[in-house]
Protein backbone atom coordinates (compact mmCIF):
# COMPACT_ATOMS: atom_id res chain seq x y z
CA UNK A 1 0.00 0.00 0.00
CA UNK A 2 2.84 2.38 0.89
CA UNK A 3 4.52 1.85 -2.50
CA UNK A 4 1.27 2.32 -4.43
CA UNK A 5 0.65 5.62 -2.59
CA UNK A 6 4.27 6.65 -3.17
CA UNK A 7 3.88 5.93 -6.89
CA UNK A 8 0.71 8.03 -7.12
CA UNK A 9 2.37 10.95 -5.30
CA UNK A 10 5.44 10.74 -7.57
CA UNK A 11 3.26 10.73 -10.70
CA UNK A 12 1.25 13.74 -9.49
CA UNK A 13 4.41 15.68 -8.64
CA UNK A 14 5.78 14.96 -12.14
CA UNK A 15 9.06 13.57 -10.80
CA UNK A 16 10.61 11.40 -13.50
CA UNK A 17 12.01 8.03 -12.50
CA UNK A 18 13.81 5.06 -13.98
CA UNK A 19 12.85 1.66 -12.63
CA UNK A 20 14.37 -1.79 -12.87
CA UNK A 21 11.82 -4.45 -12.00
CA UNK A 22 11.56 -8.20 -11.83
CA UNK A 23 9.34 -9.72 -14.51
CA UNK A 24 5.73 -9.71 -13.32
CA UNK A 25 2.27 -8.76 -14.51
CA UNK A 26 2.53 -5.49 -12.58
CA UNK A 27 5.94 -4.66 -14.10
CA UNK A 28 4.66 -5.32 -17.63
CA UNK A 29 1.61 -3.12 -16.91
CA UNK A 30 3.88 -0.34 -15.60
CA UNK A 31 6.05 -0.63 -18.72
CA UNK A 32 3.01 -0.49 -21.00
CA UNK A 33 1.80 2.74 -19.36
CA UNK A 34 5.22 4.21 -18.53
CA UNK A 35 4.54 7.55 -20.20
CA UNK A 36 1.38 8.03 -18.12
CA UNK A 37 3.35 7.19 -14.97
CA UNK A 38 6.23 9.53 -15.85
CA UNK A 39 8.90 6.84 -15.76
CA UNK A 40 11.01 4.52 -17.83
CA UNK A 41 11.12 0.88 -16.82
CA UNK A 42 13.33 -2.01 -17.78
CA UNK A 43 12.50 -5.54 -16.77
CA UNK A 44 15.00 -8.10 -15.52
CA UNK A 45 15.12 -11.52 -17.19
CA UNK A 46 12.53 -14.08 -16.10
CA UNK A 47 13.66 -16.01 -13.06
CA UNK A 48 15.33 -13.01 -11.40
CA UNK A 49 14.07 -12.97 -7.83
CA UNK A 50 14.53 -9.83 -5.76
CA UNK A 51 12.77 -9.19 -2.48
CA UNK A 52 14.56 -5.91 -1.85
CA UNK A 53 13.78 -2.54 -3.45
CA UNK A 54 16.37 0.22 -3.69
CA UNK A 55 15.55 3.90 -4.14
CA UNK A 56 18.42 6.18 -5.15
CA UNK A 57 18.06 9.96 -4.83
CA UNK A 58 20.86 12.55 -4.83
CA UNK A 59 21.58 12.54 -1.09
CA UNK A 60 20.36 9.10 -0.04
CA UNK A 61 19.96 5.44 -0.91
CA UNK A 62 17.11 3.64 0.82
CA UNK A 63 16.94 -0.14 0.72
CA UNK A 64 13.55 -1.69 1.49
CA UNK A 65 13.08 -5.33 2.51
CA UNK A 66 9.77 -6.28 0.90
CA UNK A 67 9.34 -9.57 2.76
CA UNK A 68 7.84 -9.71 6.23
CA UNK A 69 8.89 -8.10 8.44
CA UNK A 70 9.11 -5.11 6.12
CA UNK A 71 12.03 -2.85 7.01
CA UNK A 72 14.30 -0.23 5.46
CA UNK A 73 17.83 1.10 5.76
CA UNK A 74 18.94 4.52 4.52
CA UNK A 75 22.50 5.31 3.50
CA UNK A 76 23.76 8.88 3.33
CA UNK A 77 27.43 8.14 2.70
CA UNK A 78 28.50 9.72 -0.63
CA UNK A 79 30.70 6.77 -1.67
CA UNK A 80 27.89 4.28 -0.99
CA UNK A 81 25.37 6.41 -2.90
CA UNK A 82 27.73 6.64 -5.86
CA UNK A 83 28.38 2.87 -5.81
CA UNK A 84 24.62 2.12 -5.89
CA UNK A 85 24.11 4.69 -8.65
CA UNK A 86 26.91 3.12 -10.72
CA UNK A 87 25.52 -0.40 -10.21
CA UNK A 88 22.10 0.84 -11.31
CA UNK A 89 23.60 2.36 -14.47
CA UNK A 90 25.47 -0.86 -15.31
CA UNK A 91 22.32 -2.97 -14.91
CA UNK A 92 20.17 -0.38 -16.75
CA UNK A 93 22.54 -0.37 -19.75
CA UNK A 94 22.55 -4.17 -19.91
CA UNK A 95 18.74 -4.49 -20.19
CA UNK A 96 16.67 -4.07 -23.35
CA UNK A 97 14.51 -0.93 -23.52
Amino acid sequence: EYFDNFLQKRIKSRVKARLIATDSEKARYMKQFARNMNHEIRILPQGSKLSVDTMIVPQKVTIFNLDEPISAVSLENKAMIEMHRELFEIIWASLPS
Side-chain angles (χ1 to χ4, degrees):
E1 187 178 310
Y2 170 82
F3 291 104
D4 288 335
N5 290 336
F6 178 82
L7 176 62
Q8 293 305 315
K9 287 179 184 178
R10 186 185 56 74
I11 292 168
K12 286 179 184 176
S13 68
R14 298 181 184 233
V15 172
K16 292 184 179 185
R18 291 187 300 157
L19 311 170
I20 297 173
T22 54
D23 190 18
S24 68
E25 186 176 320
K26 184 173 184 174
R28 289 188 296 276
Y29 173 85
M30 289 177 71
K31 185 172 179 96
Q32 181 179 359
F33 296 100
R35 284 190 176 176
N36 299 345
M37 296 181 180
N38 208 25
H39 64 234
E40 291 180 68
I41 185 169
R42 296 197 180 168
I43 299 175
L44 293 167
Q46 281 187 328
S48 300
K49 301 286 184 206
L50 300 177
S51 61
V52 174
D53 189 14
T54 304
M55 181 172 55
I56 305 167
V57 296
Q59 279 82 35
K60 189 183 298 187
V61 171
T62 303
I63 303 167
F64 302 90
N65 175 25
L66 303 177
D67 290 335
E68 294 291 334
I70 295 173
S71 59
V73 174
S74 289
L75 305 171
E76 296 182 15
N77 176 284
K78 288 180 183 182
M80 291 182 183
I81 295 167
E82 189 54 39
M83 189 243 359
H84 278 83
R85 184 175 290 118
E86 186 64 27
L87 288 173
F88 179 92
E89 295 298 339
I90 290 166
I91 296 167
W92 182 264
S94 74
L95 297 170
S97 348

